Amino acid sequence: MYDTRTQQDYKEKYYLKLLPLGQKYAELLPWGDKITSESLSFFSPIVIWTKFATSQTKHDVLFSAFRDYFKAWLELVDQALPETNSLQILHNKEAQHRYLTWRAEKDPGHPLLKKLVGEDLARDLVRNFLFEGADSLGTKTFLDYFPEYRREDGSVNQKRSVIGKSYETRPWNSNGEFIGEMS
């Protein structure tokens, strides 16, 4: 929910124990080419962002990563304490809504879904299934969160990146520290 490049406390709370797992799969799976700087704010140092030529070995590694990450997620859930600070709960809810709003508008899979099932069904699938909550969790719009995407006519710029910065290699070191340039 929070940008680990700028919110060290969030990274320490949720990711420091997971860094060895992230490093393991960063070594086994290649970086998946460009990721926009805008998108990067929603990813952690342990993200698996990969693209590879199909092979049984790579598929096995990817499935192993899925199992290990899922197990780690379940452990985090088991250890989680309920948040009782009402201000923090509101802050978390808005951060989640911001993320869902971004993904519902800028999901890189949307063009493929549109080709497969048509525009209306693709949009419904993205907004009401994959990123459910984008329309119900909060009242802010995409342009409220990301005004830099507003075109002169008030519509949303459809470019994936308006900043123009992308990362072709992993922008974190093995300690989870951001080593790319901030945008």
Side-chain angles (χ1 to χ4, degrees), residues 81-122:
L81 299 174
E83 181 60 66
T84 57
N85 180 314
S86 58
L87 189 58
Q88 186 63 47
I89 291 169
L90 286 173
H91 192 62
N92 290 347
K93 184 178 174 182
E94 179 156 342
Q96 181 66 22
H97 185 250
R98 182 176 182 267
Y99 167 75
L100 292 171
T101 302
W102 170 264
R103 291 302 306 265
E105 187 68 40
K106 295 293 179 184
D107 185 68
H110 186 260
L112 176 62
L113 286 173
K114 187 168 72 171
K115 287 180 184 177
L116 292 173
V117 298
E119 176 62 38
D120 292 341
L121 191 53

Side-chain angles (χ1 to χ4, degrees), residues 6-183:
T6 58
Q7 296 201 249
Q8 192 66 26
D9 59 328
Y10 186 77
K11 185 172 108 180
E12 289 172 6
K13 182 176 181 178
Y14 293 106
Y15 295 108
L16 282 185
K17 292 189 286 186
L18 302 175
L19 284 173
L21 180 65
Q23 186 61 32
K24 171 185 175 181
Y25 288 107
E27 293 171 7
L28 295 172
L29 295 166
W31 184 251
D33 205 16
K34 294 179 181 178
I35 185 170
T36 65
S37 58
E38 294 98 331
S39 297
L40 199 64
S41 68
F42 297 110
F43 291 98
S44 75
I46 62 167
V47 66
I48 294 176
W49 180 263
T50 191
K51 191 185 319 184
F52 52 82
T54 189
S55 75
Q56 189 59 49
T57 302
K58 290 293 185 191
H59 287 269
D60 291 345
V61 169
L62 189 59
F63 185 66
S64 178
F66 170 78
R67 286 193 328 251
D68 288 350
Y69 273 61
F70 187 64
K71 181 180 175 191
W73 180 80
L74 289 175
E75 289 171 4
L76 279 173
V77 168
D78 283 344
Q79 297 167 7
L81 299 174
E83 181 60 66
T84 57
N85 180 314
S86 58
L87 189 58
Q88 186 63 47
I89 291 169
L90 286 173
H91 192 62
N92 290 347
K93 184 178 174 182
E94 179 156 342
Q96 181 66 22
H97 185 250
R98 182 176 182 267
Y99 167 75
L100 292 171
T101 302
W102 170 264
R103 291 302 306 265
E105 187 68 40
K106 295 293 179 184
D107 185 68
H110 186 260
L112 176 62
L113 286 173
K114 187 168 72 171
K115 287 180 184 177
L116 292 173
V117 298
E119 176 62 38
D120 292 341
L121 191 53
R123 187 158 189 79
D124 184 58
L125 181 64
V126 167
R127 296 193 78 77
N128 298 315
F129 178 70
L130 295 175
F131 305 110
E132 191 276 323
D135 296 326
S136 61
L137 193 58
T139 58
K140 288 186 176 180
T141 67
F142 180 84
L143 292 173
D144 291 333
Y145 288 122
F146 310 100
E148 65 273 21
Y149 278 86
R150 184 180 308 277
R151 293 172 45 158
E152 286 185 24
D153 66 1
S155 64
V156 174
N157 186 329
Q158 294 304 307
K159 288 182 180 179
R160 288 205 49 223
S161 174
V162 295
I163 294 175
K165 174 78 175 146
S166 62
Y167 298 90
E168 295 182 14
T169 59
R170 180 172 284 279
W172 297 279
N173 66 18
S174 61
N175 295 321
E177 296 162 352
F178 186 73
I179 55 174
E181 293 179 29
M182 293 286 284
S183 51

